[in-house]
Each structure stands twice: as C-alpha cells, then as structure tokens.
Amino acid sequence: EPEVTQTPSHQVTQMGQEVILRCVPISNHLYFYWYRQILGQKVEFLVSFYNNEISEKSEIFDDQFSVERPDGSNFTLKIRSTKLEDSAMYFCASTRGGKETQYFGPGTRLLVL
Amino acid sequence: AQKVTQAQTEISVVEKEDVTLDCVYETRDTTYYLFWYKQPPSGELVFLIRRNSFDEQNEISGRYSWNFQKSTSSFNFTITASQVVDSAVYFCALSEARRDDKIIFGKGTRLHILP
C-alpha cells in the first residue's frame, strides 16, 4: 500500500540554523500539507499546498517558513532561522482531493538547541 | 469557526474493560468530516475512521465503535474489551468538505490500559 514518507526521522539543529524537512507524498496525490505537534500538545495545521502554490496557511506559518515542491515527488518545509520553540514533530500529509482522506507521514522530530 | 473539544485529558482503565472517549465539535458548515486518529508512543498518526456529516449511522470495526450524533455535535469512540496495545493518545478531528481543507485536531485523550 502506498504511503507518505518523511526524512529525516529525527533532526537536531542549533538555534538560528536553517533546516529542510522532506516529504514524499503518495504519487497520485495533488494536495499537500504540513502540520506541527509540539511535545504533549495537539496537532496543528501549518500550510496546505496545491497546484504549486500555498492554498492556506495558519498564523504559525510566518516568514521563517516556506514550502516547495522542487520536483515531481518531493514536498519540503524549510525553516529559515530556527528558534527553540520550533522544536516539535512535523507531519506531512497528502490527499488526492479535498474530499478524500489525508494520509499522514511518520513525522520528523525536530529539536532546536 | 471550527473547534474540537476532547474534555478527557487522560483515562486509565484495566484491561478488558470498555472505555469511551468523548469528542464534541463545532462548525458552521453543514458538510464536514469527522476523524479519529491514534498516536502510539512511537509518535506516528494512525488513521482510524472518517465520517461524513450526512452519515449518522454508527460504525463498528472489531473492538472499535463510533457513535455520531449531530443533535449533540458529538462523535464518541468506544473500545470494547480494551487491550494493553490500545494504550495511546487518541485525537478527534474535523475538516470542512472543501477542496483542500485542513484538519483541525482536538487536544487528544491519553488512554492507559493497565494489565
């Protein structure tokens, strides 16, 4: 069964460094999402992406964040200058369409020191 | 505005007991989807169910069952004959039936099944 994959599974970085989190959505999916879960808290929506542009973003998704689909398979989340509070689990999700189920990847656990 | 409330922060039951996790939602839309996800200690989100707002039939899948009541805006989840492997955080979630809508999660209920 096809699945969403994410790399790396864990990343440790220093405050102020740039990080890129990578996701490979399911191949025939058209809509892509990033969510964040701070340890012990709920999963929060960051951004949705369709047709090579952002569809919607939350207030968490400020200028330090960007998303890109650089080729036909990868979907990336870049944090330009990480802060301590960016430490969280980041989940990628994809779906064929808005009325279809979103499939989540296993997550990337980011720790900012 | 959309909102999902899971009032039970943490529940502990002894193995083989039945347990119900509560979920209350708010939305102005008439068409929406409700979800339950399981998050085991390993951290991934495991999809359990998606229910369309027009389908109020209860659903059963093995030891799992879901009770959807639009009149009370609730979508409760029951585990029958609980097992230690059911220990996890369970999230109820909501999305509007738009083309690319985001999922709004509740804060989750941490379920401990004691042997």
Side-chain angles (χ1 to χ4, degrees):
Chain A
E1 186 175 321
E3 55 185 24
V4 178
T5 60
Q6 291 185 241
T7 53
S9 58
H10 294 77
Q11 177 139 11
V12 181
T13 190
Q14 295 288 326
M15 190 170 60
Q17 295 295 304
E18 174 184 285
V19 295
I20 297 176
L21 309 184
R22 290 183 167 80
C23 168
V24 179
I26 296 173
S27 62
N28 62 348
H29 284 189
L30 302 175
Y31 299 84
F32 315 109
Y33 308 81
W34 283 101
Y35 293 81
R36 181 183 83 174
Q37 184 185 29
I38 294 172
L39 186 64
Q41 298 188 23
K42 68 178 178 180
V43 180
E44 300 173 290
F45 167 76
L46 289 178
V47 66
S48 59
F49 190 85
Y50 169 72
N51 202 26
N52 279 320
E53 60 183 25
I54 291 174
S55 304
E56 185 179 356
K57 58 184 181 179
S58 72
E59 53 193 35
I60 302 169
F61 194 88
D62 61 23
D63 292 345
Q64 293 299 314
F65 291 89
S66 62
V67 289
E68 194 178 30
R69 189 153 158 83
D71 51 43
S73 58
N74 290 283
F75 179 50
T76 61
L77 174 69
K78 182 194 291 186
I79 309 175
R80 201 184 335 272
S81 177
T82 50
K83 305 176 197 139
L84 296 176
E85 55 264 37
D86 293 328
S87 295
M89 177 80 100
Y90 289 81
F91 292 103
C92 173
S94 71
T95 180
R96 275 191 305 195
K99 297 185 178 180
E100 303 287 329
T101 299
Q102 286 184 28
Y103 290 86
F104 283 81
T108 293
R109 198 176 294 277
L110 176 65
L111 178 61
V112 182
L113 302 176
Chain B
Q2 299 168 292
K3 186 178 177 183
V4 176
T5 301
Q6 295 180 256
Q8 304 150 309
T9 307
E10 203 159 342
I11 300 175
S12 294
V13 299
V14 176
E15 198 174 18
K16 297 181 185 172
E17 286 185 358
D18 300 347
V19 58
T20 295
L21 309 183
D22 298 333
C23 173
V24 173
Y25 63 90
E26 293 176 33
T27 178
R28 291 181 189 156
D29 282 10
T30 55
T31 305
Y32 50 89
Y33 294 98
L34 295 165
F35 306 80
W36 276 95
Y37 287 87
K38 173 182 179 180
Q39 188 174 44
S42 50
E44 72 271 25
L45 289 170
V46 179
F47 169 79
L48 296 178
I49 189 171
R50 183 180 80 150
R51 178 48 56 91
N52 183 306
S53 56
F54 293 113
D55 182 2
E56 281 193 77
Q57 277 196 336
N58 291 335
E59 179 150 345
I60 298 174
S61 176
R63 296 184 297 107
Y64 295 170
S65 62
W66 291 269
N67 181 256
F68 175 29
Q69 292 197 348
K70 283 177 89 167
S71 60
T72 55
S73 298
S74 65
F75 187 45
N76 296 338
F77 172 35
T78 298
I79 302 174
T80 304
S82 59
Q83 299 175 2
V84 172
V85 293
D86 296 327
S87 297
V89 180
Y90 291 86
F91 291 97
C92 180
L94 164 74
S95 76
E96 296 169 351
R98 294 199 308 248
R99 184 190 66 181
D100 57 354
D101 198 48
K102 59 188 178 291
I103 295 177
I104 302 298
F105 286 81
K107 291 185 177 180
T109 296
R110 184 176 296 276
L111 179 63
H112 300 279
I113 308 297
L114 307 172

